[in-house]
Amino acid sequence: NATSYGVMAIVIVSLQTCAGMWINAFMTSVLCVAWLKKKSFNSNEKILLFLGCCRFCYLGITWAYFFLSVIYPQCLYVHPIPQILSAIQTFLNFSNLWVSAWLCVFYCIKIANFRHIFFTYLKGKIDRIVSWLLLGSVLFSLVISILVYNIIDEAHSDNLNSTGRGNFWRLNIKMDEHFFPLFFLTGFGFAIAFMAVIFSALLLLFSLWRHKSKMQTNSGKNLSMDAHVKAMKSVLSFSFLYSVNFACLILTLIYATKKANLVAFLILVLQYAFPSVHSLILIFSNQKLEKTLRRTLSWGKCKVCMR
């Protein structure tokens, strides 16, 4: 049963990883080609490029970590392999989550219409702030990853000492004691990003409702309304995905110290789907990326038919 579970898990996760890495590599390559052509980047493209690179690397390192844990788990007890892999995975995951949240905030500030002086100030400065937000996300993720490295290194050292003294029954207890700070850091950082996403969605929804009320007497097509609706679809779909991912995080914290089971496997599958599905939504929300994807798929289909 354990062997069949491991094989099935590797196959499913590998397929998800390949699909996700291809989607994010496609988005990144299209944006890089566009940048080389016009020699400039707007704020939206900066966020999408950073997000695509983070997710590509995150899926790759997470797959490597999972593959080693199933095929050769003994190597995860060799210092400092688990510490380094966990720290890199945490850095990329937090960067991904925070930059995704900033993307929702960016859409909200750019599209929503509020007359508050602070909101007006942000709308005028958001393009300059984006680079600093990305840098702040990287620095915050780096700090968290260093803390994760230290926590896992301490847990690893203590477990080696306890098993060296023959106290094998203390192993799981010690792991739980060390991982509580790790769970708290992960949950706290993700909860703040989740609140930013939900708050941006609510503000954008309220702005859309106000704008629609003002435009009820106008039967003509309104560009601002179209922008509101398009942004609202992206933010709401992302809010749903973020909510599912947040629930998976809570369940991961519950099942992290338990043996592999069906629930843990389903949680893993959903978490792997998040970077791929959201990137696909971003591609179809961007006219340039969508057209390029359709041309690429049509070209690939023609090549297959010719064979």
Side-chain angles (χ1 to χ4, degrees):
N1 290 334
T3 304
S4 60
Y5 165 80
V7 172
M8 181 180 67
I10 288 175
V11 171
I12 294 176
V13 170
S14 297
L15 290 174
Q16 282 186 297
T17 301
C18 289
M21 292 182 73
W22 186 90
I23 290 170
N24 286 284
F26 168 81
M27 184 169 69
T28 302
S29 59
V30 172
L31 291 171
C32 287
V33 170
W35 174 68
L36 291 173
K37 286 182 178 179
K38 63 181 184 180
K39 303 296 182 181
S40 63
F41 251 174
N42 59 41
S43 299
N44 184 45
E45 290 172 336
K46 287 179 183 177
I47 299 175
L48 292 179
L49 179 63
F50 190 89
L51 202 57
C53 292
C54 273
R55 287 176 170 173
F56 180 86
C57 297
Y58 170 74
L59 288 169
I61 196 70
T62 305
W63 178 85
Y65 199 169
F66 176 78
F67 185 81
L68 289 174
S69 66
V70 175
I71 299 298
Y72 191 51
Q74 292 84 358
C75 73
L76 297 181
Y77 294 96
V78 178
H79 186 279
I81 293 177
Q83 292 91 322
I84 293 175
L85 287 177
S86 297
I88 295 175
Q89 186 181 26
T90 301
F91 172 78
L92 293 171
N93 190 28
F94 265 81
S95 298
N96 166 31
L97 294 174
W98 273 93
V99 174
S100 301
W102 290 133
L103 183 63
C104 287
V105 173
F106 175 79
Y107 284 160
C108 176
I109 294 174
K110 273 289 189 180
I111 305 299
N113 292 318
F114 294 105
R115 294 183 179 179
H116 193 277
I117 186 171
F118 181 68
F119 194 87
T120 304
Y121 172 81
L122 287 178
K123 188 180 283 286
K125 297 289 185 179
I126 187 62
D127 290 318
R128 297 180 182 179
I129 297 174
V130 163
S131 298
W132 291 105
L133 291 176
L134 294 178
L135 179 60
S137 300
V138 170
L139 294 177
F140 176 77
S141 302
L142 184 61
V143 170
I144 296 296
S145 63
I146 292 173
L147 292 174
V148 167
Y149 181 95
N150 291 332
I151 290 171
I152 295 179
D153 187 57
E154 185 179 351
H156 186 266
S157 299
D158 286 356
N159 283 324
L160 286 178
N161 293 334
S162 65
T163 53
R165 293 193 301 268
N167 298 327
F168 293 98
W169 63 278
R170 288 285 298 165
L171 179 61
N172 289 331
I173 298 175
K174 280 185 169 292
M175 290 296 285
D176 291 351
E177 289 174 353
H178 282 96
F179 284 160
F180 280 137
L182 181 60
F183 293 163
F184 176 78
L185 285 173
T186 304
F188 180 73
F190 194 22
I192 295 176
F194 179 68
M195 289 174 61
V197 171
I198 298 301
F199 192 62
S200 299
L202 291 176
L203 282 178
L204 198 55
L205 186 62
F206 181 66
S207 176
L208 176 61
W209 174 77
R210 284 182 56 190
H211 189 73
K212 186 177 180 181
S213 299
K214 291 179 181 179
M215 298 301 298
Q216 280 181 345
T217 55
N218 187 2
S219 59
K221 187 176 181 181
N222 185 266
L223 295 177
S224 180
M225 177 67 76
D226 292 342
H228 266 85
V229 173
K230 190 173 183 180
M232 197 68 247
K233 288 179 180 178
S234 298
V235 173
L236 283 179
S237 60
F238 180 48
S239 299
F240 173 75
L241 291 174
Y242 223 98
S243 301
V244 173
N245 203 31
F246 186 74
C248 287
L249 172 70
I250 302 301
L251 292 174
T252 299
L253 301 185
I254 295 172
Y255 288 93
T257 55
K258 298 181 180 180
K259 293 182 179 180
N261 53 46
L262 181 60
V263 176
F265 176 67
L266 292 176
I267 293 170
L268 181 70
V269 171
L270 288 174
Q271 285 183 314
Y272 265 90
F274 173 72
S276 308
V277 175
H278 183 241
S279 294
L280 202 58
I281 292 173
L282 292 176
I283 289 174
F284 283 104
S285 300
N286 186 294
Q287 190 174 9
K288 182 194 302 181
L289 292 173
E290 182 182 2
K291 287 182 178 179
T292 307
L293 178 62
R294 292 185 184 278
R295 286 200 302 267
T296 303
L297 293 177
S298 299
W299 178 81
K301 186 178 180 180
C302 291
K303 287 290 184 180
V304 171
C305 292
M306 289 174 64
R307 292 181 181 180

